[in-house]
């Protein structure tokens, strides 16, 4: 988590100090090159141009969270003490998780996957798998939200041969009952 917070602070420094709060500096590409050289000289490898750009995007994406948690400008990250006495970090996943989450454009969907990854202890590979299987959309559209969550946690449990060949289709727009069985002609008519 220290790396995540450090990367957030580097992103903050780029935006607030180097770019004076502007979304883009007029000399943006040059700025990134200068920062890559300066950080690599001071701290060693790990500060490529793309990594610096991710740090900048990370700060821009999550800066409101820092304000909500009460972090004043120009202060280092803090560990927040909760009512139960537990400490709660501003960020709870590792850097690889956040780099992946930066690619999720919908903020609600991004928050959903971040919460699920934390609560379910997902690796980055599992997070990508759940994202690629559209868990967020499936839950939003499903009437059986608990069943979808169980499927996401345990995977498809094969108890009969027919489970192996099942291809579920979402046909909610037809207005048919989920419990009833329909013939092919009934589905075509609907």
């Amino acid at each position: 988590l220290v790396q995540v917070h450090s990367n957030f602070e580097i992103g903050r420094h780029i935006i607030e100090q180097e770019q004076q709060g502007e979304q883009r500096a007029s000399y943006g590409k040059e700025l990134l090159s200068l920062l890559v050289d300066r950080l690599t000289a001071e701290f060693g490898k790990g500060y490529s141009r793309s990594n610096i750009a991710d740090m900048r995007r990370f700060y821009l994406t999550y800066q409101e969270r820092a304000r909500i948690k009460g972090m004043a400008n120009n202060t280092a990250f803090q560990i927040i003490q909760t009512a139960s006495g537990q400490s709660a970090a501003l960020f709870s996943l590792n850097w690889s998780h956040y780099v992946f989450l930066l690619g999720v454009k919908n903020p609600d969907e991004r928050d959903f996957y971040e919460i699920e990854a934390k609560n379910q202890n997902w690796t980055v590979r599992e997070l990508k798998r759940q994202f690629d299987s559209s868990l967020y959309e499936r839950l939003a559209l499903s009437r059986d939200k608990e069943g979808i969550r169980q499927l996401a946690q345990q995977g498809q449990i094969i108890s009969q041969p027919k489970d192996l060949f099942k291809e579920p289709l979402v046909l909610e727009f037809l207005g048919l009952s989920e419990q009833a069985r329909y013939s092919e002609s009934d589905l075509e008519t609907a």
Side-chain angles (χ1 to χ4, degrees):
L1 292 181
V2 172
Q3 178 189 14
V4 175
H5 289 285
S6 297
N7 292 349
F8 181 82
E9 290 302 320
I10 290 170
R12 179 202 308 249
H13 178 81
I14 292 168
I15 297 296
E16 293 180 0
Q17 303 300 315
E18 303 291 336
Q19 295 180 205
Q20 284 82 41
E22 298 293 322
Q23 289 292 320
R24 294 189 173 276
S26 57
Y27 54 97
K29 290 182 180 180
E30 296 168 25
L31 172 63
L32 287 180
S33 296
L34 290 171
L35 286 171
V36 166
D37 294 342
R38 195 166 74 203
L39 289 169
T40 301
E42 189 170 342
F43 300 110
K45 64 182 183 175
Y47 296 98
S48 67
R49 187 183 187 118
S50 64
N51 213 3
I52 297 290
D54 285 342
M55 292 173 197
R56 185 182 165 284
R57 278 188 339 160
F58 182 58
Y59 174 74
L60 288 172
T61 302
Y62 290 98
Q63 65 185 330
E64 285 303 310
R65 180 181 294 181
R67 288 190 185 112
I68 290 169
K69 292 283 189 177
M71 288 175 57
N73 286 342
N74 299 321
T75 60
F77 75 88
Q78 303 168 351
I79 301 293
I80 311 305
Q81 193 76 13
T82 63
S84 66
Q86 299 287 324
S87 60
L90 188 60
F91 301 106
S92 54
L93 299 172
N94 67 39
W95 179 241
S96 298
H97 284 88
Y98 286 109
V99 169
F100 176 78
L101 289 169
L102 286 173
V104 179
K105 301 299 179 210
N106 178 343
D108 294 333
E109 186 175 6
R110 185 183 325 114
D111 291 345
F112 168 81
Y113 283 113
E114 181 181 3
I115 290 166
E116 288 298 311
K118 177 184 180 283
N119 291 344
Q120 303 301 325
N121 219 13
W122 288 344
T123 63
V124 176
R125 177 179 280 165
E126 180 66 14
L127 172 60
K128 287 178 183 179
R129 189 182 76 73
Q130 295 293 354
F131 177 81
D132 290 341
S133 73
S134 302
L135 177 61
Y136 178 77
E137 289 88 2
R138 286 184 295 135
L139 278 172
L141 295 172
S142 176
R143 293 182 192 146
D144 181 16
K145 296 191 185 321
E146 195 51 45
I148 297 291
R149 282 191 187 278
Q150 185 176 6
L151 181 63
Q153 291 170 0
Q154 299 173 354
Q156 178 70 35
I157 299 171
I158 300 170
S159 57
Q160 304 173 29
K162 70 177 189 172
D163 292 339
L164 192 58
F165 297 105
K166 201 182 245 182
E167 287 191 34
L169 299 173
V170 177
L171 301 173
E172 291 177 346
F173 63 91
L174 296 177
L176 301 173
S177 169
E178 279 187 35
Q179 285 73 32
R181 289 196 169 278
Y182 296 98
S183 69
E184 188 176 338
S185 65
D186 291 338
L187 292 174
E188 287 175 0
T189 305

